[in-house]
Amino acid sequence: MDVLGVLNLGEVAGYFSKMAMFPVFDLAYYIVSILYLKYEPGSVEVSRRSPVASWLCAMLYCFGSYILADIMLGVCPIDYFQHNSHILLASAVWYLIFYCPLNLFYKCVAFLPIKLVLVALKEVVRTRKIAAGVHHAHHAYHHGFLIMVITGYVKGSGVALMSNFEQLLRGVWKPETNEILNMSFPTKASLYGAILFTLQEAHILPVAKSTLICVFTLFMATSKVFMTARHSHGSPFALIESWVCHVLFGSPLASDDDHHAPAAPAASPKTKEELSEGTRKRKSKKAE
Amino acid sequence: MDVLGVLNLGEVAGYFSKMAMFPVFDLAYYIVSILYLKYEPGSVEVSRRSPVASWLCAMLYCFGSYILADIMLGVCPIDYFQHNSHILLASAVWYLIFYCPLNLFYKCVAFLPIKLVLVALKEVVRTRKIAAGVHHAHHAYHHGFLIMVITGYVKGSGVALMSNFEQLLRGVWKPETNEILNMSFPTKASLYGAILFTLQEAHILPVAKSTLICVFTLFMATSKVFMTARHSHGSPFALIESWVCHVLFGSPLASDDDHHAPAAPAASPKTKEELSEGTRKRKSKKAE
Amino acid sequence: MDVLGVLNLGEVAGYFSKMAMFPVFDLAYYIVSILYLKYEPGSVEVSRRSPVASWLCAMLYCFGSYILADIMLGVCPIDYFQHNSHILLASAVWYLIFYCPLNLFYKCVAFLPIKLVLVALKEVVRTRKIAAGVHHAHHAYHHGFLIMVITGYVKGSGVALMSNFEQLLRGVWKPETNEILNMSFPTKASLYGAILFTLQEAHILPVAKSTLICVFTLFMATSKVFMTARHSHGSPFALIESWVCHVLFGSPLASDDDHHAPAAPAASPKTKEELSEGTRKRKSKKAE
């Protein structure tokens, strides 16, 4: 905190944590989200065969976090759809990514330098959503710490947590895995972020919320940009998690080989996810 | 409107749009809905093995639209079950259709002339549900045009939109398709109807609501009666849709052969749905 | 009632029906529930691979009834998670059952005499939940008899009714069956109990609620203890149900052989459930 005070970073953090997300940051969020939808195998065919299903999936990718959080808190799940400008913007992005002549828009936003900027902007929105989710739940349940964590987690992870049902909408069904069983980096980070923001809200973590938002955004943005640039799916938490899980839950410790290559901790036995990741990359090449 | 004025149809429309649905129209709705449930392969065996599951499916077929709309608007999904008389009527219909000695009731209502009348009455209820859904959503979200469309759509389509989960209740799981991916005529018409009623509610469509209800009911009833009589599964929208989707979404244009037989636009490659439709017909024959 | 009066059982029933459930009875409920989770094939591996998924499943096993009832009544499904002490207690039980060194805790609570006591205590909680569910629904819907039955049913059956989705969380998907299609004894008993409590609430059953709670608890506890001790999966209702279903729904009558062995009415053709039950037993042996 002292360092922040000296550098006058507190004010910067305060300003940063109050910045409006709409339209620039939200736009980046929509673009990256729908880009990931297009990477999904089969999504391009669905967009040709059934535009309504494709549009619905795109909306889930963009607003899944609001829908899930609303379900969790027992309010109207399509409540967010009253924000017509947000919906219109997301729909425009969906149309441009899937149906733009010559695939121009897709080629632009999937161009690595641009994509890295968009990915960084998306993480700004994600952090803000987690903070807002925790705050909202705190308002409704003053001592419901778990409800705060769940709401923040759900707000941060969004569509990933309902990927099984989102896939079902596109006629794909993969019951053998889900985002809880095999957490990806953003889902895990959302969980840890939600816990941090809950601790802050409960005054256990002696940090100003704006500072926490600022620091967590920086961490998320750099991690994701780094991972996107390196096409890596490892997680910075791998080592610590491996030890904690071993001690607490008796999970098998990751082998030494993995420690030497912490960026790809699950590399040795090529998992289903990674194979499908390969297909995804090839598909997206084709889509271009 | 002038023509309507001359023929004094405005008053007729007003009267028609205020007519009580219970019990005659609702009864027809329940009968046709549960008839379709009996057509589903395996539903008769389920009714023998587990009456509770069968009854629950029947309730979903009759009240699925209310349940889904309540879920969408975040209110108690079994709220409609407080109308004891409606539930009793639907349960009686379920019992008569599945367990009536000699299958007498089923044979009566599945007799084509009677079925056509019932189908027409069912469409009256459907249109009213769409209008009511849009109106209800408009009340809660004055500018939530999308929420109005979704609520009206869901009220019109009913159980079809949750068919995957309704089938699951009977131990059937078909993840490769769903009603959004392959919209049937009533689902599509409900979507278009919901859009029309939303435009009317937003005063963009300069038509009285009673007139719109009247016209849309007429369209739906004649279409459905015609299609039921001809055992057709085509849609009057096929040609326009094919062009619009081709222009907007780059969907492949239906071939010339299909244009000559617009009643069965997806006929050439016999799809899974049509095959199961065949089985359904045979099953229903057996059930008789 | 006279007999109860003579024996002064009315007061005992009144006292019994007001006894606090937390922490002793609730603890037994959590232990038995999470014990059943550990019996599920694959759950031990999930607990090693993904503690979060395992913990979530444990929470569903402990609080599924509250979650489902909240969903049914349209309120916040994670509402119950504000009771931090309950969650902490259930989490501690989960940790001890899955990760206790040498599997000591599991061996203790799975020791038959102790297990029988815990099972009996669990049924006390179940009955109270059914009564509370019916009462709560009666408060919200004075004449919604069906809503009362559904809420009570859901409160009594808990996770069983959403077992398909609970399994999905662990990467298991068995669409061919569900708890409605093949009701187990506790689910059936919850349904009958919910009907009884609804009749009591509607003043059709001329019995004091405390007496009904007391009698139903006794019935449930003895039945479950007896069945657990004999490793039986039959149901005391089998004979009556068989006749009622035959008369009302034309279900095939159970054969004479089954009548001679009412404790195992579905024994002859070894069903999938029983086979998996066998595996479960073996797995649990291994887990020890």
Side-chain angles (χ1 to χ4, degrees):
Chain A
M1 290 299 288
D2 278 30
V3 182
L4 288 176
V6 168
L7 295 168
N8 201 18
L9 278 180
E11 262 179 48
V12 175
Y15 172 75
F16 178 75
S17 72
K18 267 170 208 127
M19 210 166 36
M21 289 292 108
F22 189 80
V24 179
F25 291 87
D26 277 334
L27 180 65
Y29 191 94
Y30 302 153
I31 291 175
V32 177
S33 300
I34 298 176
L35 212 56
Y36 282 128
L37 171 61
K38 192 162 185 176
Y39 288 164
E40 285 290 310
S43 70
V44 174
E45 290 89 84
V46 166
S47 75
R48 296 282 172 275
R49 265 172 55 213
S50 171
V52 175
S54 178
W55 178 82
L56 219 59
C57 284
M59 292 303 108
L60 286 183
Y61 264 76
C62 292
F63 306 112
S65 55
Y66 296 102
I67 294 172
L68 263 181
D70 283 341
I71 291 175
M72 285 293 150
L73 293 171
V75 296
C76 168
I78 51 173
D79 188 81
Y80 199 80
F81 284 72
Q82 67 183 298
H83 301 293
N84 294 316
S85 49
H86 294 233
I87 305 290
L88 274 178
L89 187 60
S91 300
V93 169
W94 161 75
Y95 190 85
L96 285 171
I97 283 185
F98 276 98
Y99 307 109
C100 182
L102 299 174
N103 225 346
L104 263 179
F105 189 79
Y106 174 80
K107 280 176 190 163
C108 279
V109 294
F111 178 56
L112 197 59
I114 295 179
K115 197 179 160 187
L116 290 182
V117 173
L118 294 173
V119 162
L121 295 180
K122 186 187 174 181
E123 296 310 311
V124 177
V125 180
R126 193 198 299 276
T127 310
R128 290 282 284 273
K129 276 182 174 178
I130 298 174
V134 171
H135 185 74
H136 184 70
H138 179 251
H139 210 78
Y141 297 92
H142 251 66
H143 295 286
F145 302 117
L146 209 69
I147 300 180
M148 294 184 216
V149 172
I150 293 174
T151 314
Y153 177 38
V154 148
K155 274 298 251 318
S157 315
V159 78
L161 288 183
M162 53 171 165
S163 55
N164 286 61
F165 296 98
E166 183 272 327
Q167 288 165 349
L168 186 57
L169 200 61
R170 292 184 274 118
V172 177
W173 184 242
K174 294 180 195 151
E176 66 281 356
T177 189
N178 61 58
E179 191 67 21
I180 305 268
L181 266 185
N182 297 292
M183 287 204 206
S184 63
F185 167 69
T187 317
K188 261 182 194 159
S190 297
L191 179 57
Y192 301 146
I195 293 172
L196 284 180
F197 280 105
T198 301
L199 292 176
Q200 194 277 329
E201 203 80 51
H203 301 295
I204 295 172
L205 206 72
V207 169
K209 196 197 265 185
S210 55
T211 315
L212 188 58
I213 288 179
C214 207
V215 170
F216 195 75
T217 305
L218 275 177
F219 166 72
M220 287 298 290
T222 45
S223 305
K224 268 297 262 182
V225 164
F226 201 71
M227 285 162 67
T228 308
R230 288 185 57 185
H231 292 291
S232 146
H233 289 273
S235 132
F237 312 126
L239 240 154
I240 303 170
E241 263 173 7
S242 170
W243 271 99
V244 169
C245 283
H246 180 67
V247 171
L248 276 182
F249 307 116
S251 309
L253 211 59
S255 74
D256 266 322
D257 299 324
D258 292 349
H259 284 183
H260 293 150
S268 336
K270 232 183 175 184
T271 60
K272 220 163 198 171
E273 285 74 46
E274 284 182 307
L275 288 170
S276 84
E277 184 61 24
T279 339
R280 175 191 292 186
K281 286 274 134 64
R282 257 172 281 135
K283 287 260 165 179
S284 71
K285 277 272 155 62
K286 257 195 217 166
E288 286 173 7
Chain B
M1 291 301 286
D2 277 33
V3 182
L4 287 177
V6 168
L7 294 169
N8 200 18
L9 278 181
E11 261 178 49
V12 175
Y15 171 75
F16 178 74
S17 73
K18 267 171 209 126
M19 209 165 37
M21 290 290 108
F22 189 80
V24 179
F25 292 87
D26 276 334
L27 180 65
Y29 191 93
Y30 302 154
I31 291 174
V32 176
S33 299
I34 299 177
L35 213 55
Y36 282 128
L37 171 61
K38 193 162 185 177
Y39 288 164
E40 284 291 310
S43 70
V44 174
E45 289 90 82
V46 167
S47 74
R48 294 286 171 274
R49 264 173 54 212
S50 171
V52 175
S54 177
W55 178 81
L56 220 60
C57 284
M59 291 304 107
L60 286 183
Y61 265 75
C62 291
F63 307 111
S65 53
Y66 296 101
I67 294 171
L68 263 179
D70 282 341
I71 291 175
M72 285 293 150
L73 293 171
V75 293
C76 168
I78 52 172
D79 188 81
Y80 199 80
F81 284 72
Q82 67 184 296
H83 302 293
N84 293 316
S85 50
H86 294 232
I87 305 290
L88 274 179
L89 187 60
S91 300
V93 169
W94 162 75
Y95 189 85
L96 286 172
I97 283 185
F98 276 98
Y99 307 109
C100 183
L102 300 174
N103 226 345
L104 262 179
F105 189 78
Y106 175 80
K107 280 178 189 163
C108 279
V109 294
F111 178 55
L112 197 59
I114 295 178
K115 198 179 158 188
L116 290 183
V117 173
L118 294 172
V119 162
L121 295 180
K122 185 185 175 183
E123 296 310 312
V124 176
V125 179
R126 192 197 299 276
T127 309
R128 290 282 284 273
K129 276 181 173 177
I130 298 174
V134 170
H135 185 74
H136 184 70
H138 178 253
H139 210 78
Y141 296 93
H142 250 67
H143 295 285
F145 302 117
L146 210 67
I147 299 180
M148 294 184 216
V149 172
I150 292 173
T151 313
Y153 177 37
V154 148
K155 275 296 255 316
S157 313
V159 78
L161 289 183
M162 51 171 166
S163 56
N164 286 61
F165 297 98
E166 181 273 326
Q167 287 165 349
L168 186 58
L169 200 62
R170 291 184 276 118
V172 177
W173 184 242
K174 294 180 194 150
E176 67 280 355
T177 188
N178 60 58
E179 191 67 21
I180 304 268
L181 266 184
N182 295 294
M183 286 203 206
S184 62
F185 167 70
T187 317
K188 262 182 192 158
S190 296
L191 179 56
Y192 300 145
I195 294 173
L196 284 180
F197 280 104
T198 302
L199 293 176
Q200 194 277 330
E201 204 80 52
H203 301 295
I204 295 171
L205 206 72
V207 170
K209 195 198 266 185
S210 56
T211 316
L212 189 57
I213 287 179
C214 207
V215 171
F216 195 75
T217 304
L218 274 177
F219 166 73
M220 287 299 289
T222 45
S223 305
K224 268 298 262 183
V225 165
F226 201 71
M227 284 162 67
T228 308
R230 286 186 56 187
H231 292 290
S232 147
H233 289 272
S235 132
F237 312 126
L239 240 155
I240 303 172
E241 262 173 8
S242 170
W243 270 99
V244 169
C245 283
H246 180 67
V247 171
L248 275 182
F249 306 115
S251 310
L253 211 58
S255 73
D256 267 322
D257 301 324
D258 291 349
H259 282 182
H260 293 150
S268 336
K270 231 182 177 185
T271 60
K272 219 161 197 171
E273 285 76 45
E274 284 182 307
L275 288 171
S276 83
E277 183 61 25
T279 338
R280 173 192 295 188
K281 285 276 134 63
R282 255 173 283 134
K283 287 259 164 176
S284 70
K285 277 271 156 61
K286 259 195 215 166
E288 286 172 7
Chain C
M1 291 300 285
D2 277 32
V3 182
L4 288 176
V6 168
L7 296 168
N8 199 19
L9 279 180
E11 261 178 50
V12 175
Y15 171 75
F16 179 74
S17 72
K18 266 170 209 128
M19 209 163 39
M21 289 292 107
F22 189 80
V24 179
F25 291 88
D26 277 333
L27 180 65
Y29 191 94
Y30 302 154
I31 291 175
V32 176
S33 299
I34 299 176
L35 212 56
Y36 282 128
L37 171 61
K38 194 163 184 175
Y39 288 163
E40 286 290 309
S43 71
V44 173
E45 291 89 82
V46 167
S47 74
R48 296 284 171 276
R49 265 173 54 213
S50 171
V52 175
S54 178
W55 178 81
L56 220 59
C57 285
M59 291 303 108
L60 287 183
Y61 265 76
C62 292
F63 308 111
S65 55
Y66 297 101
I67 295 171
L68 263 180
D70 283 341
I71 291 175
M72 285 295 150
L73 293 171
V75 295
C76 168
I78 52 174
D79 188 80
Y80 198 80
F81 284 72
Q82 67 184 298
H83 302 293
N84 293 316
S85 50
H86 294 233
I87 305 290
L88 274 179
L89 187 60
S91 301
V93 170
W94 161 75
Y95 189 83
L96 286 171
I97 283 184
F98 276 99
Y99 307 110
C100 184
L102 300 174
N103 225 347
L104 263 179
F105 189 79
Y106 174 80
K107 280 177 189 162
C108 279
V109 295
F111 178 54
L112 197 61
I114 295 179
K115 198 179 157 186
L116 289 183
V117 173
L118 294 173
V119 162
L121 294 180
K122 186 186 173 181
E123 296 309 312
V124 176
V125 180
R126 193 198 298 278
T127 308
R128 291 282 284 273
K129 275 182 173 176
I130 298 174
V134 170
H135 185 74
H136 183 70
H138 178 252
H139 210 78
Y141 296 93
H142 250 68
H143 295 286
F145 303 117
L146 210 66
I147 300 181
M148 294 186 217
V149 171
I150 293 173
T151 313
Y153 178 38
V154 148
K155 275 296 251 321
S157 314
V159 79
L161 289 182
M162 52 170 165
S163 57
N164 286 60
F165 296 98
E166 182 273 328
Q167 288 165 349
L168 186 58
L169 200 61
R170 292 184 275 119
V172 177
W173 183 242
K174 294 180 194 151
E176 66 281 355
T177 189
N178 60 58
E179 191 66 23
I180 305 268
L181 266 185
N182 296 294
M183 286 204 206
S184 63
F185 167 70
T187 317
K188 260 182 193 158
S190 296
L191 180 57
Y192 300 147
I195 293 173
L196 283 180
F197 280 104
T198 302
L199 293 177
Q200 194 277 329
E201 203 80 53
H203 301 295
I204 295 171
L205 207 72
V207 169
K209 198 198 263 184
S210 56
T211 315
L212 189 57
I213 288 180
C214 206
V215 171
F216 195 74
T217 305
L218 273 177
F219 166 71
M220 287 298 289
T222 45
S223 306
K224 268 297 261 183
V225 166
F226 201 71
M227 285 161 68
T228 308
R230 287 185 55 187
H231 293 290
S232 147
H233 289 273
S235 134
F237 312 126
L239 239 155
I240 302 171
E241 263 173 7
S242 169
W243 270 98
V244 169
C245 283
H246 180 66
V247 171
L248 275 182
F249 306 116
S251 309
L253 211 58
S255 73
D256 267 322
D257 301 323
D258 291 349
H259 282 182
H260 293 149
S268 338
K270 230 179 180 189
T271 60
K272 220 161 197 171
E273 284 76 45
E274 286 183 306
L275 287 171
S276 83
E277 183 61 25
T279 339
R280 173 191 293 187
K281 286 275 134 64
R282 256 171 284 135
K283 288 258 166 181
S284 71
K285 276 272 156 60
K286 259 194 217 167
E288 289 172 6

